[in-house]
Amino acid sequence: MRRILVINSNTSAAATQRIADVLQRHTTVGTQVTVVNPSKGPQGIDTLLDIAISGLESARLVAAHHDEYDAFVIACSADPGLDIARQVTDKPVVGICEAAVLMACTLGATFAIVAQRKVDIRRIREQVARYGLTGRLASVPSIDLATAELLQDVDRLYQRLLLAAHQAVEVDLAEVVILAGSVMAGFEEQLRDDVEVPVLSGTVCALKLVEGLIDLGVRTSKVYKYAPMKKLDRLQGYPGFQDVYSR
Amino acid sequence: MRRILVINSNTSAAATQRIADVLQRHTTVGTQVTVVNPSKGPQGIDTLLDIAISGLESARLVAAHHDEYDAFVIACSADPGLDIARQVTDKPVVGICEAAVLMACTLGATFAIVAQRKVDIRRIREQVARYGLTGRLASVPSIDLATAELLQDVDRLYQRLLLAAHQAVEVDLAEVVILAGSVMAGFEEQLRDDVEVPVLSGTVCALKLVEGLIDLGVRTSKVYKYAPMKKLDRLQGYPGFQDVYSR
Amino acid sequence: MRRILVINSNTSAAATQRIADVLQRHTTVGTQVTVVNPSKGPQGIDTLLDIAISGLESARLVAAHHDEYDAFVIACSADPGLDIARQVTDKPVVGICEAAVLMACTLGATFAIVAQRKVDIRRIREQVARYGLTGRLASVPSIDLATAELLQDVDRLYQRLLLAAHQAVEVDLAEVVILAGSVMAGFEEQLRDDVEVPVLSGTVCALKLVEGLIDLGVRTSKVYKYAPMKKLDRLQGYPGFQDVYSR
Amino acid sequence: MRRILVINSNTSAAATQRIADVLQRHTTVGTQVTVVNPSKGPQGIDTLLDIAISGLESARLVAAHHDEYDAFVIACSADPGLDIARQVTDKPVVGICEAAVLMACTLGATFAIVAQRKVDIRRIREQVARYGLTGRLASVPSIDLATAELLQDVDRLYQRLLLAAHQAVEVDLAEVVILAGSVMAGFEEQLRDDVEVPVLSGTVCALKLVEGLIDLGVRTSKVYKYAPMKKLDRLQGYPGFQDVYSR
Amino acid sequence: MRRILVINSNTSAAATQRIADVLQRHTTVGTQVTVVNPSKGPQGIDTLLDIAISGLESARLVAAHHDEYDAFVIACSADPGLDIARQVTDKPVVGICEAAVLMACTLGATFAIVAQRKVDIRRIREQVARYGLTGRLASVPSIDLATAELLQDVDRLYQRLLLAAHQAVEVDLAEVVILAGSVMAGFEEQLRDDVEVPVLSGTVCALKLVEGLIDLGVRTSKVYKYAPMKKLDRLQGYPGFQDVYSR
Amino acid sequence: MRRILVINSNTSAAATQRIADVLQRHTTVGTQVTVVNPSKGPQGIDTLLDIAISGLESARLVAAHHDEYDAFVIACSADPGLDIARQVTDKPVVGICEAAVLMACTLGATFAIVAQRKVDIRRIREQVARYGLTGRLASVPSIDLATAELLQDVDRLYQRLLLAAHQAVEVDLAEVVILAGSVMAGFEEQLRDDVEVPVLSGTVCALKLVEGLIDLGVRTSKVYKYAPMKKLDRLQGYPGFQDVYSR
């Protein structure tokens, strides 16, 4: 049995439930998925500060439960805390945006990632650059909707997604469209039918990728970037992380 | 039931059997793997000409069997015919080197790919560049053994692998080591224990990646690079491909 | 006397004749040009499969005639089989797109390559990337015409070329325009007068480049990428290549 | 009067004092420097987790004091929290590694950054990549000493620095050497005399750079990446940041 | 006292006066700025030939006065002669475009540089590439005005600047706008208020950067690129440079 | 008849004669080569200042003789004044290093350029980057000899060349070796036989490349980078260039 902990990085229980619903439809025999969210941090992840805090909280959840699961998914399109989580455990950890771009590479020459707002475009470009895949990124079209607006009017949301995907394919020559964020999840099939290219949900991609990593029996490399360190330092004021340094 | 056709791109039945043996140990419930090889082409894939011919033959196998399987794996470290195969079918096709580099990205900041001979190094670098992942490639150490030599003396082979992996990790700062070719398969665990970084076999990574792609229910993008074309052209002298253009 | 074999990579005798006509107008004293085409393969080169097959057939022609000529030109804008041909002989081999981009580098800071169809754009970008010249590529405007349409209505073709070149120069800041394919050959001078930038035909550039290489007395490097290999392998089913491995 | 808050990102009062001592020797008339450290977080910054926590704590100090100062310096070679701090205030914020690489660009064609340990090398390369300056980075030589060892034996430290700088200049062709971390501060002049290239201390570079930015009267761009956001979200459990979202 | 020589690279005394006026408003206590221009060379710097000649003349001024000043500024947006000047003296030399792009890196994720004419765009892109900062460059919008036109109609100039800056921010997602040339100086504040991003004048940035470099007490690296050479060569016909080679 | 002016950029008549001797052995029927040198500037081109001055003088020779020739070669490995010369005339101008790297691209996957001294390495790397071909550059090995030493002891020179070429091929995996400078010319054949890879002399490559460009009937693009400009400016003190601006 593969035991996977999926961490919704924000503190919204409603969002956690939506993720759990999406994943339930894609869970294979032999996989047990648990979806949780931190008790501290922002309700919606909109800014660099939100990403930093929810990243730390996501990694804290990994540290707290690292014995109970075989792999971890960070379920926020900014992949907050992904690098820290890989230091905290040697079990596989995958981010949903990361999973989507890796999967997309097998389905088309280039991909586009739909951004929620114009202010996110540069951040997403930098994120793809960190993954080393700028050469495969066609564009980052934006639907220009705040999270609150997104959920209020589903028809408008879909029209914006359609417009963004259409521009990405027709103008920017994207061959695959990625809906990285969990708030956009659920529109993949309709959008795929309308724009006639593969449309990927990061959340489901991540689930499938960690299933594969668990089956492979591999662990995160601890030799350099994700090296743990035994040290006597007190992490003053950040309970839940101390034992990371004494393992 | 996921039906996967794994194509050993050379014409050696012994190599095909070795691949089947490796995969048998990693096949999940719900997956049925068939391993085949073309009847035409080189027995071992050593040069650009070998790659071109075995690529065409691999794609021809995909075309011949495309209705009978849900996804295809090209099981040669040069990923021959990968792009052609993606034109020939819209079902997922993955190369074993491609699969290994994508999986490696989730396990460490950089990876090294062990080359069989010094003459292969540049070709492998160009291959990684085509996948857009040069920024994650630490090095391409070579074990400098011809295929025939490789199989004659397993101890020498392992000593060379150990040397290459050690240099990649210590000098080139690789965090993950990839044994792309099927002739090197089977040493992953011993090498992982000796050099203390994840060691990936391309063949098994590819199996796991296509399992995930089948579960996702996705198809290769046909909008640009892999667009099929209806045309009346005769592909004179290349039976097995004609109907590709009339679908 | 420089003896040059120009290979039209498709199987259309009419296209071969058009190339011969273009080259006749540019042949210098001391150069003897022979234009041929393979007997197998596609009549028009439109897809990755077409490129793979015609590349193999072009290389087979090089292998068959490698004693009779001093240098070889692959006369198709996708430069099919260029790398294989360089393995098969040590005499200079040049592709027409390759020749055009190298020549263009001496005439302007950037160049544009006119694509026949939108689906070709990504492939051309990847081709320029393989040559290492992405930094000099301004854009790949498309005229969106199938080969059949192209030849039917010359006026429409020219209007499309003019539009594509104009956009490349005015919007994408291209300083040189390349008409890589032989089907577009013959419009260079008119287009140059209309858009007032140099317009290059790949076919003629390649002729001039191999003349220079023959005069230099150089041979293709055989040390790594294009290393030939003595081996006993049978290339089953691919007559015309066997002796490559016993030279 | 320019009022500058320098934040030692770790919780070691001794380190804070060393930074204050270094800066005192370089403070210009018209500049008032205050050096502080967070009360929470690690005593020494060694890992990705340390960087994340001390980054958040550094940004929290910026938020707490943003009305009292004209500019801020993050005084840790990993520049923790730099991006978050730029979201939290619109007054100039500079990291000491960032300042050193920017200054180095005016003094030589390439620079090397001395790393404390081998495990830091990749992280530093990624940091320089984020600043967009990989093309100017000659190498990241390591002195392979833990912080505790560093301070115990000053002679050994200097010999290691000399060796690292020498290799960077002679082998990797670095033209400028950067001692990013504050633990290495104080050796710049001796090292410059011994290796005969400019040697920069990040801490002092940052001081000089923010003095210039204050004089210029400029503010951080708030249009995209560092956009603040008015929102009602509760940042549960992270006091000191809430009012960031209501400004 | 910091003694700074600012070199207007063209031969227009009026332009020299404008630069002096701008700098006067930004000179700090402790800094003495002298602005000069060469007696030979073009009145306005418009072409590659102009840049080459004024670069040589600017470097000749540095050579002539190198004992009298602590640092030098090349005050022309093409930074003519910057590299030569760094060979001629070991005191800090900074170009105004260079200074602006380095400063901009601390204020936003990307910057745009406003070009005077469309023909300058490629040259500016190549200049930024030489500084290694292409990854931070959002765009190079042009105002399409000759120097003479620029000065005749200030309202039109401002409208063009506003249009260019607006496009850079809204379409190209620039976060900082750079007015590199001294002819555009003086509009920074108005433009910043209108487009609501930081707007930098290269001239003032350069002044602040060299003040910092003087305070740091650093010298240009002489180990490789800027190595001086003792030699007996006569630089026939170029008085003012001979003693460079005998120092 | 193709009339080609080859400009030795330094003022040494002996060097000019050596270039003429080399070219005489490679001149084709139908080509008339004239080799000249400027009367002003350095006798040997060693530094950035030398390059700037000899570049201006080379361009001045192009301007003076631009009606009498069909194409121009800048015969110094630093390609001084190449860009200016392309502004001064619309007839083809090629640099010898530029020609060698373009020709090398057709003969192997990568090339190395032998540098005279270690201080030249970075400059050569930047030059190749300007041509956009960094991805094809394997290394820049140095023979560490001043021009005077080079000519004194031919055996030592050859031993150093052999060592440099050997390292480039064996360690850096270069497939082609370039002897860019005219002082190294004449050793190509011996070195090719000893290291068994193609060895190119820039001078001869440039001759062959401009012959091809003349035959093509093409002119340098004048639309952006090399745009000439009609203007009334006096280029004070630089006779020979004024009429460039009134053409």
Side-chain angles (χ1 to χ4, degrees):
Chain A
M1 179 61 70
R2 310 179 197 100
R3 300 163 303 162
I4 298 171
L5 184 65
V6 175
I7 297 164
N8 167 28
S9 307
N10 65 43
T11 53
S12 157
T16 304
Q17 189 56 49
R18 276 198 307 274
I19 293 171
D21 293 346
V22 166
L23 289 180
Q24 196 169 11
R25 293 199 303 274
H26 291 86
T27 308
T28 322
V29 174
T31 296
Q32 189 183 62
V33 173
T34 308
V35 189
V36 297
N37 59 258
S39 57
K40 292 202 279 184
Q43 284 190 285
I45 297 171
D46 298 309
T47 72
L48 297 168
L49 176 60
D50 290 347
I51 293 170
I53 288 174
S54 56
L56 212 42
E57 291 303 319
S58 298
R60 194 180 334 226
L61 282 172
V62 171
H65 300 284
H66 99 284
D67 285 336
E68 307 154 35
Y69 295 93
D70 301 311
F72 302 86
V73 169
I74 308 280
C76 163
S77 68
D79 295 343
L82 179 58
D83 272 351
I84 320 170
R86 284 184 180 148
Q87 182 198 324
V88 158
T89 180
D90 66 352
K91 292 177 180 169
V93 188
V94 164
I96 63 173
C97 180
E98 180 194 41
V101 301
L102 293 175
M103 287 292 201
C105 286
T106 70
L107 299 170
T110 63
F111 54 81
I113 301 175
V114 180
Q116 210 175 311
R117 295 150 316 160
K118 202 172 174 183
V119 295
D120 297 332
I121 294 175
R122 176 72 191 178
R123 186 186 51 65
I124 293 174
R125 287 194 170 280
E126 294 183 354
Q127 191 176 345
V128 174
R130 284 201 307 274
Y131 301 151
L133 280 166
T134 297
R136 305 290 291 267
L137 178 63
S139 65
V140 184
S142 153
I143 56 168
D144 264 317
L145 288 173
T147 304
E149 294 174 297
L150 233 110
L151 299 170
Q152 276 168 8
D153 184 342
V154 166
D155 282 350
R156 184 177 54 178
L157 168 55
Y158 186 72
Q159 288 311 311
R160 293 281 181 97
L161 285 175
L162 192 58
L163 197 72
H166 196 77
Q167 182 205 303
V169 173
E170 290 305 316
V171 179
D172 309 321
L173 305 189
E175 304 193 1
V176 179
V177 169
I178 293 172
L179 304 181
S182 57
V183 281
M184 298 179 197
F187 293 102
E188 299 93 69
E189 290 180 24
Q190 189 179 350
L191 202 54
R192 179 200 61 198
D193 292 346
D194 283 350
V195 295
E196 296 183 80
V197 300
V199 178
L200 299 179
S201 151
T203 315
V204 190
C205 289
L207 174 64
K208 292 301 147 189
L209 200 51
V210 293
E211 285 182 347
L213 291 166
I214 292 170
D215 287 3
L216 281 174
V218 290
R219 298 281 174 129
T220 294
S221 182
K222 290 291 173 175
V223 70
Y224 296 122
K225 185 171 174 186
Y226 303 116
M229 287 193 186
K230 277 209 171 45
K231 57 182 202 173
L232 302 174
D233 266 26
R234 286 283 73 99
L235 275 173
Q236 300 177 40
Y238 281 81
F241 284 121
Q242 268 84 344
D243 63 334
V244 169
Y245 291 117
S246 51
R247 264 176 224 156
Chain B
M1 179 60 67
R2 309 179 198 100
R3 300 163 303 162
I4 299 171
L5 183 66
V6 175
I7 297 165
N8 167 28
S9 307
N10 65 41
T11 53
S12 157
T16 304
Q17 189 55 49
R18 277 198 305 275
I19 293 171
D21 292 347
V22 166
L23 290 180
Q24 196 170 13
R25 295 199 301 275
H26 291 86
T27 308
T28 322
V29 173
T31 297
Q32 187 183 65
V33 173
T34 308
V35 189
V36 296
N37 61 256
S39 56
K40 291 202 278 184
Q43 283 189 287
I45 296 171
D46 298 309
T47 70
L48 298 169
L49 176 60
D50 290 347
I51 293 171
I53 289 175
S54 56
L56 212 43
E57 292 303 318
S58 299
R60 197 184 329 231
L61 282 171
V62 171
H65 300 285
H66 100 284
D67 283 337
E68 307 153 35
Y69 296 92
D70 300 313
F72 302 86
V73 168
I74 307 280
C76 163
S77 68
D79 295 344
L82 179 57
D83 272 352
I84 320 171
R86 284 183 181 147
Q87 182 198 324
V88 159
T89 180
D90 66 352
K91 293 178 179 167
V93 188
V94 164
I96 63 174
C97 180
E98 180 194 40
V101 301
L102 294 175
M103 289 291 201
C105 285
T106 69
L107 299 170
T110 63
F111 53 82
I113 301 175
V114 180
Q116 209 177 311
R117 293 150 316 160
K118 202 173 175 184
V119 296
D120 297 331
I121 296 174
R122 175 70 192 182
R123 185 185 54 66
I124 293 173
R125 288 196 170 277
E126 294 183 355
Q127 191 177 346
V128 175
R130 282 201 308 274
Y131 302 150
L133 281 165
T134 296
R136 305 290 291 267
L137 178 64
S139 65
V140 184
S142 153
I143 56 170
D144 263 317
L145 287 174
T147 305
E149 296 173 295
L150 233 109
L151 299 171
Q152 275 169 9
D153 185 343
V154 164
D155 283 351
R156 183 176 54 177
L157 168 56
Y158 186 73
Q159 288 313 311
R160 294 281 180 95
L161 285 175
L162 193 57
L163 197 72
H166 196 76
Q167 182 204 301
V169 173
E170 288 306 316
V171 181
D172 309 322
L173 305 188
E175 305 193 2
V176 179
V177 169
I178 292 172
L179 304 182
S182 56
V183 282
M184 298 178 196
F187 294 100
E188 299 93 69
E189 290 181 25
Q190 190 179 349
L191 202 55
R192 179 200 61 199
D193 291 346
D194 284 350
V195 295
E196 296 183 82
V197 299
V199 178
L200 299 180
S201 151
T203 315
V204 190
C205 289
L207 174 64
K208 292 301 148 190
L209 200 52
V210 293
E211 285 182 346
L213 292 167
I214 292 170
D215 287 4
L216 280 173
V218 289
R219 299 280 173 128
T220 295
S221 182
K222 291 291 173 174
V223 69
Y224 298 123
K225 185 173 174 186
Y226 303 116
M229 287 193 186
K230 275 209 174 47
K231 57 181 200 173
L232 303 174
D233 266 26
R234 286 283 73 100
L235 276 172
Q236 301 177 37
Y238 281 81
F241 283 122
Q242 268 82 347
D243 63 333
V244 168
Y245 290 118
S246 51
R247 267 176 221 155
Chain C
M1 178 61 70
R2 309 177 197 100
R3 298 164 304 162
I4 298 170
L5 184 65
V6 175
I7 297 165
N8 168 27
S9 307
N10 65 41
T11 52
S12 157
T16 304
Q17 189 56 48
R18 277 199 307 277
I19 293 171
D21 292 346
V22 166
L23 290 180
Q24 196 170 12
R25 293 199 303 275
H26 290 87
T27 308
T28 322
V29 175
T31 295
Q32 188 184 62
V33 173
T34 307
V35 189
V36 296
N37 60 257
S39 55
K40 292 202 278 183
Q43 283 188 287
I45 297 169
D46 298 308
T47 71
L48 297 169
L49 175 61
D50 291 346
I51 292 171
I53 289 176
S54 56
L56 211 43
E57 291 303 317
S58 299
R60 194 180 336 226
L61 282 172
V62 171
H65 299 285
H66 100 283
D67 284 337
E68 307 154 34
Y69 295 92
D70 300 311
F72 301 86
V73 168
I74 308 281
C76 164
S77 67
D79 296 344
L82 180 57
D83 272 353
I84 320 170
R86 282 181 181 149
Q87 182 198 325
V88 159
T89 180
D90 66 352
K91 292 177 179 170
V93 188
V94 164
I96 63 174
C97 180
E98 180 194 40
V101 300
L102 293 175
M103 288 293 200
C105 286
T106 69
L107 299 170
T110 63
F111 53 82
I113 301 176
V114 180
Q116 210 177 310
R117 294 150 317 161
K118 202 172 174 183
V119 295
D120 298 331
I121 294 174
R122 176 69 192 181
R123 185 185 53 66
I124 293 173
R125 287 195 169 279
E126 293 183 355
Q127 191 176 347
V128 174
R130 284 201 308 273
Y131 300 150
L133 281 165
T134 296
R136 305 290 291 268
L137 179 63
S139 66
V140 184
S142 153
I143 56 170
D144 263 317
L145 287 174
T147 305
E149 294 173 298
L150 232 109
L151 299 171
Q152 275 168 8
D153 185 343
V154 166
D155 282 351
R156 183 178 55 179
L157 168 56
Y158 187 73
Q159 288 312 311
R160 294 280 181 95
L161 285 174
L162 192 58
L163 197 73
H166 196 77
Q167 181 205 304
V169 172
E170 289 306 315
V171 179
D172 309 320
L173 304 189
E175 304 194 1
V176 178
V177 169
I178 292 173
L179 304 182
S182 56
V183 283
M184 297 178 195
F187 294 100
E188 299 95 67
E189 291 181 23
Q190 190 179 348
L191 202 54
R192 179 199 62 200
D193 291 347
D194 284 350
V195 294
E196 296 184 78
V197 300
V199 178
L200 297 180
S201 152
T203 315
V204 190
C205 288
L207 174 64
K208 292 301 147 190
L209 199 52
V210 292
E211 283 182 347
L213 292 167
I214 293 171
D215 287 4
L216 280 174
V218 289
R219 298 280 173 129
T220 294
S221 182
K222 290 290 171 174
V223 71
Y224 296 122
K225 184 172 173 187
Y226 303 116
M229 288 193 185
K230 277 210 173 44
K231 58 180 199 174
L232 302 174
D233 267 26
R234 287 284 72 101
L235 276 171
Q236 300 176 39
Y238 281 80
F241 283 122
Q242 269 82 347
D243 63 334
V244 168
Y245 289 120
S246 52
R247 264 176 223 156
Chain D
M1 179 61 69
R2 309 178 198 100
R3 301 162 302 162
I4 297 171
L5 183 66
V6 175
I7 297 164
N8 168 27
S9 307
N10 64 42
T11 53
S12 157
T16 305
Q17 189 56 49
R18 276 199 306 276
I19 293 169
D21 292 346
V22 166
L23 289 179
Q24 196 171 12
R25 294 200 300 275
H26 291 87
T27 308
T28 322
V29 174
T31 297
Q32 188 184 65
V33 173
T34 308
V35 189
V36 297
N37 60 257
S39 57
K40 291 202 280 185
Q43 282 189 288
I45 297 170
D46 297 309
T47 71
L48 296 169
L49 175 60
D50 290 347
I51 292 170
I53 289 174
S54 57
L56 211 43
E57 291 303 318
S58 298
R60 195 182 334 228
L61 281 172
V62 172
H65 300 285
H66 99 283
D67 283 336
E68 306 155 33
Y69 295 93
D70 300 311
F72 302 86
V73 168
I74 308 281
C76 164
S77 66
D79 296 344
L82 179 57
D83 272 353
I84 321 170
R86 284 183 181 147
Q87 182 199 322
V88 159
T89 180
D90 65 352
K91 292 177 180 169
V93 188
V94 165
I96 64 174
C97 180
E98 179 195 40
V101 301
L102 294 175
M103 288 292 200
C105 286
T106 70
L107 298 170
T110 63
F111 53 82
I113 301 176
V114 180
Q116 210 176 309
R117 295 150 314 160
K118 202 172 173 182
V119 295
D120 298 331
I121 295 175
R122 176 72 192 180
R123 187 187 51 66
I124 293 173
R125 286 195 170 279
E126 293 183 355
Q127 191 176 346
V128 174
R130 283 201 307 276
Y131 301 151
L133 281 166
T134 296
R136 304 291 291 267
L137 178 64
S139 65
V140 185
S142 153
I143 56 170
D144 264 316
L145 287 173
T147 305
E149 296 174 296
L150 233 109
L151 299 170
Q152 276 169 9
D153 185 342
V154 165
D155 282 350
R156 185 177 53 178
L157 168 57
Y158 186 72
Q159 288 312 311
R160 295 280 181 97
L161 285 175
L162 192 57
L163 197 71
H166 196 77
Q167 181 205 302
V169 172
E170 290 305 316
V171 179
D172 308 322
L173 305 188
E175 304 194 2
V176 178
V177 169
I178 292 173
L179 304 182
S182 57
V183 280
M184 299 179 196
F187 293 101
E188 299 94 69
E189 290 181 24
Q190 191 179 347
L191 202 55
R192 179 200 62 199
D193 291 346
D194 284 350
V195 294
E196 298 184 79
V197 299
V199 178
L200 299 180
S201 151
T203 316
V204 190
C205 288
L207 174 64
K208 291 302 148 187
L209 200 52
V210 293
E211 285 182 346
L213 291 167
I214 293 170
D215 287 4
L216 281 174
V218 289
R219 298 280 173 128
T220 294
S221 181
K222 290 292 173 176
V223 69
Y224 297 123
K225 185 172 173 187
Y226 303 116
M229 287 193 187
K230 275 208 173 47
K231 56 182 201 173
L232 302 174
D233 266 25
R234 285 285 70 101
L235 275 172
Q236 300 176 39
Y238 281 81
F241 283 122
Q242 268 84 346
D243 63 334
V244 168
Y245 290 119
S246 50
R247 265 176 222 155
Chain E
M1 179 61 70
R2 311 177 197 100
R3 301 162 303 162
I4 298 171
L5 184 66
V6 175
I7 297 164
N8 167 28
S9 306
N10 65 41
T11 53
S12 157
T16 304
Q17 190 55 50
R18 276 197 308 273
I19 293 170
D21 293 347
V22 166
L23 290 179
Q24 197 171 12
R25 294 199 302 274
H26 291 87
T27 308
T28 322
V29 174
T31 297
Q32 188 185 61
V33 173
T34 308
V35 189
V36 297
N37 61 257
S39 57
K40 291 203 280 184
Q43 283 189 287
I45 296 171
D46 298 309
T47 72
L48 297 169
L49 176 60
D50 291 346
I51 292 170
I53 289 175
S54 57
L56 212 43
E57 292 303 318
S58 298
R60 198 185 325 234
L61 282 171
V62 171
H65 299 286
H66 100 282
D67 284 337
E68 307 154 36
Y69 295 93
D70 301 312
F72 302 86
V73 169
I74 308 281
C76 164
S77 67
D79 294 343
L82 179 58
D83 272 352
I84 320 171
R86 282 182 182 149
Q87 181 198 324
V88 159
T89 180
D90 67 352
K91 293 177 180 169
V93 188
V94 165
I96 62 173
C97 180
E98 180 194 40
V101 300
L102 293 174
M103 289 292 201
C105 285
T106 69
L107 299 170
T110 62
F111 53 82
I113 302 176
V114 180
Q116 210 176 311
R117 294 150 316 161
K118 202 173 174 181
V119 295
D120 297 331
I121 294 174
R122 175 72 192 181
R123 186 186 52 66
I124 293 172
R125 287 195 170 279
E126 294 183 355
Q127 191 177 344
V128 174
R130 283 201 308 274
Y131 300 150
L133 281 166
T134 297
R136 305 291 290 268
L137 178 64
S139 65
V140 185
S142 154
I143 56 169
D144 263 318
L145 286 174
T147 305
E149 294 174 297
L150 232 109
L151 300 170
Q152 276 168 8
D153 185 343
V154 165
D155 283 352
R156 184 177 53 178
L157 167 56
Y158 186 73
Q159 288 313 309
R160 295 280 180 96
L161 285 175
L162 192 57
L163 197 72
H166 196 77
Q167 181 205 302
V169 172
E170 289 305 316
V171 180
D172 309 321
L173 305 189
E175 304 193 3
V176 179
V177 169
I178 293 172
L179 305 181
S182 57
V183 283
M184 297 178 197
F187 293 100
E188 299 93 70
E189 291 181 23
Q190 189 179 349
L191 202 55
R192 180 200 61 200
D193 292 347
D194 284 351
V195 294
E196 295 183 80
V197 299
V199 179
L200 298 180
S201 151
T203 315
V204 190
C205 288
L207 174 65
K208 291 301 146 191
L209 199 53
V210 292
E211 285 182 348
L213 291 166
I214 292 171
D215 287 4
L216 281 174
V218 290
R219 298 280 174 129
T220 295
S221 182
K222 290 292 173 174
V223 71
Y224 298 122
K225 184 171 173 187
Y226 303 115
M229 288 192 186
K230 275 208 173 46
K231 57 181 200 173
L232 302 175
D233 267 26
R234 287 284 72 99
L235 276 172
Q236 300 176 40
Y238 281 81
F241 283 121
Q242 269 83 347
D243 63 334
V244 168
Y245 289 119
S246 51
R247 264 177 224 154
Chain F
M1 179 61 69
R2 310 178 196 99
R3 300 163 304 163
I4 298 170
L5 184 65
V6 175
I7 296 164
N8 167 27
S9 307
N10 66 42
T11 54
S12 157
T16 304
Q17 189 56 48
R18 276 197 306 276
I19 292 170
D21 292 348
V22 165
L23 289 179
Q24 196 171 12
R25 293 199 302 275
H26 290 87
T27 308
T28 322
V29 175
T31 296
Q32 189 184 64
V33 173
T34 307
V35 189
V36 297
N37 61 257
S39 55
K40 292 202 278 185
Q43 283 189 286
I45 296 170
D46 298 307
T47 71
L48 297 169
L49 176 59
D50 291 347
I51 292 170
I53 289 175
S54 56
L56 211 43
E57 292 302 318
S58 298
R60 195 182 333 229
L61 282 171
V62 171
H65 300 285
H66 99 283
D67 285 337
E68 306 153 35
Y69 295 93
D70 300 312
F72 302 86
V73 169
I74 307 281
C76 164
S77 68
D79 295 343
L82 180 58
D83 271 353
I84 321 170
R86 284 184 179 147
Q87 181 198 325
V88 158
T89 180
D90 66 352
K91 292 177 180 169
V93 188
V94 165
I96 63 174
C97 180
E98 180 195 40
V101 301
L102 293 175
M103 288 292 200
C105 286
T106 69
L107 299 170
T110 62
F111 54 81
I113 301 176
V114 180
Q116 211 176 310
R117 293 151 316 161
K118 202 173 174 182
V119 295
D120 298 332
I121 294 173
R122 176 71 191 180
R123 186 186 52 66
I124 293 173
R125 287 195 171 279
E126 294 183 354
Q127 191 176 344
V128 174
R130 284 202 306 276
Y131 301 151
L133 281 164
T134 296
R136 305 291 290 268
L137 179 64
S139 65
V140 184
S142 153
I143 56 170
D144 264 317
L145 287 173
T147 305
E149 295 174 296
L150 231 109
L151 300 170
Q152 275 169 9
D153 185 342
V154 165
D155 282 351
R156 184 176 55 178
L157 168 56
Y158 186 74
Q159 288 312 311
R160 296 280 181 96
L161 285 175
L162 193 57
L163 197 73
H166 196 76
Q167 182 205 301
V169 173
E170 290 306 316
V171 180
D172 309 321
L173 303 190
E175 304 193 2
V176 178
V177 169
I178 292 172
L179 305 181
S182 56
V183 282
M184 297 179 197
F187 292 101
E188 299 94 67
E189 291 182 22
Q190 190 179 349
L191 203 55
R192 180 201 59 199
D193 292 347
D194 284 350
V195 295
E196 295 184 79
V197 299
V199 178
L200 298 180
S201 151
T203 315
V204 189
C205 288
L207 174 63
K208 292 301 146 189
L209 200 52
V210 292
E211 284 182 347
L213 292 167
I214 293 171
D215 287 4
L216 281 174
V218 290
R219 299 280 173 128
T220 295
S221 182
K222 290 292 173 175
V223 70
Y224 297 123
K225 184 172 173 186
Y226 303 116
M229 288 192 184
K230 277 208 172 47
K231 58 181 199 171
L232 302 175
D233 265 26
R234 285 288 69 102
L235 276 172
Q236 299 176 39
Y238 281 81
F241 283 120
Q242 269 82 349
D243 63 334
V244 168
Y245 290 119
S246 52
R247 263 177 224 155

